[in-house]
Amino acid sequence: MKKRLQIDRRAMRMRALWMGIVLAALALPAHAAAQAVPPGQPRPEELAEVRTDSLAEPALPAFDWDILDPRVNLAAGWLDAESAIWNLELVATTPRPEGFFNPETPREGAGFSNTDLAFQGNYLFQGNYNGFQVYDISDPGNIELHVAVVCPGGQGDVSIYGDLLFMSAQETRGRLDCGTEGIQDSVSVERFRGVRIFDLSNLEAPRQVAAVQTCRGSHTHTVVTDPNDDENVYVYVSGTSGVRPADELPGCSGLPPEEDPNTAYFRIEVIQVPLANPAAAEIVSMPRIFADPETGEYGGLWQGGDHGEGTQESRLTNQCHDITVYPEIGLGAGACAGNGILLDISDPVNPVRLDEVVDPNFAYWHSATFNNDGTKILFTDEWGGGGQPRCRSTDPPDWGANAIFEIVDGQMELAGYYKLPVPQSELENCVAHNGAVIPVPGRDIMVQAWYQGGLSMLDFTDASDPVEIAFFDRGPLSEEEMYTGGYWSTYWNNGFIYGAEITRGLDVFRLSPSEHLSQNEIDAANMVQVEEFNAQLQPMFTWPAHPAVAGSYLDQLERAGDIQPSLLQRSRDVLSAASSSPGADVAAQLRETAATLDANADEVNAGERLGDAPRQRWLAQAMRELAASMD
């Protein structure tokens, strides 16, 4: 098996250490949980440092574990649960509207779970197992429901492109006509499982214009653009359900490939959507990305089972749960049951597998996120399927976690893991789930959902040592029994973080300056404005020429101690002048300082000086761009 990874002694000791720490945390009194971490006590990022990078046994620091983390032992409730927040501001909370929860059992998400999010202009589109909702977010502190469309079918993940909304459906209750009465027959021409397409040109009355049937339904889907094709958009369909009968949809076969080479397994579907006539959308290819790229034979990927004693048992790789594409670099990343795969999507109709990895700590490869420069992929593991408590003190810290891979010469190499660094209770379903990068220049920062583990924001710039830099969490939905809930996804969009809460509704957050994130970095991130955002269609972020962008690089150098004090002060002074009195004189000073930074970086590379040479060059380039904007 290619690139099979092994558990080492260090990982086992880290696991044992983490378990001991969090077992102590579970003994905390409830009143301590809601307190902010006071000065002199450990913050979450300090707790993440309780590990070792050598084979020596680590020593526990002398922390006061009575106030370990404010997320521990939060009081339960549906809309009144106790919460804890750090380095974020909760701007707004909006409950689910009527028609999207069962009034008799409002805590339950079954059949009415909020799912994924998409954005366009001043509107947010929220999927739901029972349809989708459209919110006006022109004022993020006072978002308003614009329209709600009831259309049962399960999953309900949504994507947006122009006037089109795409929605996944996989349950057998789904009807072609979006009816709510369901379908009782085991075979029915009225059943729908696949990708729905809605016309949103009249946002007051969204209209279904196409419904593309697939053999395994659509658990998720990915909108794919082709830089060389402005007449069509494409949709990759990831189906995870059983194969429907051929009597219901001709051509569907659930047989293994050795019995039927046309099996509906071991493939994805590619839908072509003509933008001038979306009603003509159809499946145009069924790439067998799991087969050997050279021979076309099945196999070569994970066959299911465990990796040996003390490892996860993962499923046979014959499907993808989720695919993320990054058209600007021509790559895609598939989270596909027992494997993570890297794809060449330069021809969207015929994606080709470039590389694959397995991991003994992964139960089910769930989703993927590239960093902005496309040199890393963060994969998530949905151990327990999302409905189980997998962040308990007794759970391994690298199971149900993120695995971060660096892309080196077209191959993926494991660099590190990240898991929510605080235990959750037996009453809270918790595991790694959907997130997206935040456009802070010079850093790889991601905001991520952990179901009832809440929201965690991590910095994985150093892929071998990712750390948490902000969080929000609520107590469980009930103090008596476990309900499935929490965040399905948390995404950054145009200056705010939006969280799709499965049973409670929709939350909006704003970043707060902290020792981990400066005001310059927040301001620079806020300058990145996109017209549309779908997490699985990853955009490339760019920044304007602005003092805050250069200031971000400078703040990072100062934070790490990677710049000489005299050069730090000189850079601060010239950027301050650029903000207050831009002009030819300041432009000249910016260019002179940039030249000094480049020379300093040369000395760092030559081993004559300590520092961060790449970041100093980024700062120098940002200064030159700022100077050019003043000419």
Side-chain angles (χ1 to χ4, degrees):
M1 177 58 62
K2 188 178 182 182
K3 292 188 177 65
R4 178 166 174 170
L5 307 174
Q6 302 297 322
I7 293 180
D8 59 17
R9 293 165 55 199
R10 174 177 173 268
M12 297 297 289
R13 279 197 298 274
M14 287 171 61
R15 178 179 305 169
L17 174 62
W18 189 83
M19 289 170 59
I21 291 170
V22 293
L23 278 169
L26 286 181
L28 299 182
H31 73 273
Q35 299 177 15
V37 179
Q41 299 302 329
R43 291 187 178 277
E45 76 277 10
E46 293 172 308
L47 300 178
E49 294 174 2
V50 183
R51 57 175 173 250
T52 179
D53 291 323
S54 70
L55 295 180
E57 292 297 332
L60 288 175
F63 286 152
D64 182 355
W65 299 111
D66 286 341
I67 35 181
L68 180 66
D69 191 297
R71 289 170 285 185
V72 176
N73 286 353
L74 291 172
W78 178 40
L79 299 180
D80 58 350
E82 191 175 16
S83 64
I85 192 167
W86 180 57
N87 294 341
L88 293 169
E89 174 191 350
L90 179 60
V91 175
T93 296
T94 300
R96 288 182 294 175
E98 291 185 10
F100 291 87
F101 65 91
N102 185 338
E104 297 181 1
T105 55
R107 296 174 197 254
E108 294 185 0
F112 298 92
S113 295
N114 278 334
T115 59
D116 220 354
L117 303 174
F119 302 84
Q120 184 183 76
N122 288 326
Y123 293 98
L124 175 152
F125 303 84
Q126 181 164 44
N128 185 283
Y129 272 57
N130 213 44
F132 66 91
Q133 306 137 40
V134 182
Y135 288 94
D136 184 335
I137 57 172
S138 53
D139 178 3
N142 185 31
I143 62 177
E144 297 181 352
L145 181 67
H146 186 80
V147 66
V149 176
V150 173
C151 186
Q155 199 66 16
D157 281 6
V158 293
S159 296
I160 193 80
Y161 189 86
D163 287 335
L164 303 178
L165 179 140
F166 304 89
M167 183 169 71
S168 290
Q170 69 169 4
E171 293 181 348
T172 57
R173 63 173 171 145
R175 298 179 56 91
L176 277 168
D177 61 4
C178 284
T180 60
E181 63 270 35
I183 294 176
Q184 303 304 316
D185 296 335
S186 58
V187 174
S188 173
V189 296
E190 297 177 329
R191 176 172 287 116
F192 177 72
R193 296 172 65 197
V195 175
R196 302 185 190 272
I197 305 176
F198 289 84
D199 184 339
L200 302 180
S201 55
N202 178 5
L203 198 52
E204 310 303 319
R207 179 173 58 93
Q208 182 174 274
V209 294
V212 183
Q213 300 270 21
T214 64
C215 290
R216 288 174 292 141
S218 174
H219 190 74
T220 65
H221 68 267
T222 304
V223 173
V224 187
T225 56
D226 183 349
N228 301 313
D229 182 359
D230 58 4
E231 296 182 354
N232 300 282
V233 69
Y234 300 88
V235 179
Y236 290 173
V237 184
S238 298
T240 61
S241 299
V243 178
R244 62 205 298 185
D247 290 344
E248 185 171 274
L249 186 62
C252 293
S253 169
L255 294 174
E258 58 269 21
E259 297 182 29
D260 185 354
N262 295 315
T263 177
Y265 292 108
F266 296 93
R267 76 184 191 200
I268 63 172
E269 289 87 14
V270 178
I271 300 171
Q272 182 182 51
V273 184
L275 296 176
N277 182 21
E282 62 178 345
I283 295 173
V284 293
S285 69
M286 300 179 186
R288 299 210 177 266
I289 59 173
F290 311 114
D292 186 285
E294 296 181 0
T295 67
E297 296 179 357
Y298 297 101
L301 297 185
W302 184 243
Q303 298 298 303
D306 63 33
H307 301 259
E309 184 178 355
T311 65
Q312 284 276 35
E313 180 167 334
S314 50
R315 291 171 57 178
L316 167 70
T317 300
N318 62 6
Q319 59 186 245
C320 282
H321 180 279
D322 216 318
I323 298 173
T324 295
V325 295
Y326 200 163
E328 283 85 352
I329 62 174
L331 294 178
C336 305
N339 285 92
I341 63 176
L342 183 66
L343 296 170
D344 177 348
I345 61 161
S346 53
D347 177 3
V349 177
N350 300 292
V352 176
R353 190 175 88 239
L354 298 175
D355 191 30
E356 68 278 347
V357 288
V358 294
D359 192 315
N361 298 307
F362 266 43
Y364 189 69
W365 296 70
H366 175 271
S367 57
T369 302
F370 289 91
N371 68 337
N372 192 57
D373 64 10
T375 59
K376 300 171 190 168
I377 304 175
L378 184 151
F379 286 104
T380 66
D381 171 29
E382 196 178 36
W383 175 33
Q388 300 299 317
R390 290 293 184 256
C391 301
R392 301 162 298 183
S393 62
T394 53
D395 292 323
D398 43 8
W399 291 18
N402 303 327
I404 305 164
F405 290 81
E406 295 179 336
I407 304 174
V408 181
D409 297 327
Q411 307 291 298
M412 294 180 287
E413 298 181 0
L414 180 66
Y417 294 99
Y418 175 86
K419 187 170 183 177
L420 190 72
V422 64
Q424 302 292 310
S425 73
E426 293 276 357
L427 300 175
E428 295 170 287
N429 59 303
C430 178
V431 75
H433 214 240
N434 294 351
V437 294
I438 296 177
V440 174
R443 297 174 70 182
D444 297 327
I445 295 177
M446 178 176 175
V447 60
Q448 184 178 10
W450 290 80
Y451 288 110
Q452 287 199 73
L455 171 164
S456 180
M457 197 164 90
L458 63 140
D459 181 337
F460 64 104
T461 308
D462 179 352
S464 66
D465 188 23
V467 295
E468 183 175 61
I469 61 174
F471 64 68
F472 176 79
D473 189 18
R474 291 187 175 97
L477 284 160
S478 168
E479 62 182 13
E480 298 174 351
E481 58 182 306
M482 192 183 80
Y483 294 94
T484 297
Y487 287 120
W488 183 282
S489 52
T490 57
Y491 299 140
W492 169 273
N493 183 72
N494 295 347
F496 293 87
I497 294 169
Y498 297 84
E501 233 279 1
I502 292 173
T503 66
R504 293 174 173 122
L506 181 67
D507 292 324
V508 185
F509 298 90
R510 181 165 39 216
L511 292 172
S512 299
S514 70
E515 64 269 37
H516 301 291
L517 198 65
S518 69
Q519 189 63 57
N520 277 326
E521 290 173 306
I522 294 172
D523 291 344
N526 290 347
M527 292 174 193
V528 177
Q529 299 287 303
V530 295
E531 179 58 27
E532 291 181 350
F533 179 76
N534 302 298
Q536 287 73 37
L537 174 57
Q538 196 162 329
M540 179 173 285
F541 297 128
T542 58
W543 294 267
H546 192 279
V549 177
S552 296
Y553 296 125
L554 188 58
D555 292 343
Q556 293 157 19
L557 287 165
E558 181 181 22
R559 186 182 296 124
D562 281 331
I563 187 171
Q564 297 167 268
S566 59
L567 187 52
L568 170 66
Q569 189 58 54
R570 177 178 172 181
S571 299
R572 287 262 179 247
D573 291 343
V574 71
L575 289 177
S576 177
S579 296
S580 60
S581 53
D585 290 344
V586 173
Q589 295 175 41
L590 285 165
R591 291 187 175 98
E592 290 174 4
T593 306
T596 302
L597 285 162
D598 281 335
N600 203 66
D602 289 341
E603 293 178 0
V604 172
N605 286 335
E608 299 170 2
R609 188 184 301 279
L610 296 177
D612 184 335
R615 203 168 303 276
Q616 290 186 23
R617 293 196 191 282
W618 299 340
L619 172 57
Q621 180 60 26
M623 286 184 173
R624 281 190 289 269
E625 292 173 359
L626 187 55
S629 72
M630 298 178 186
D631 292 338

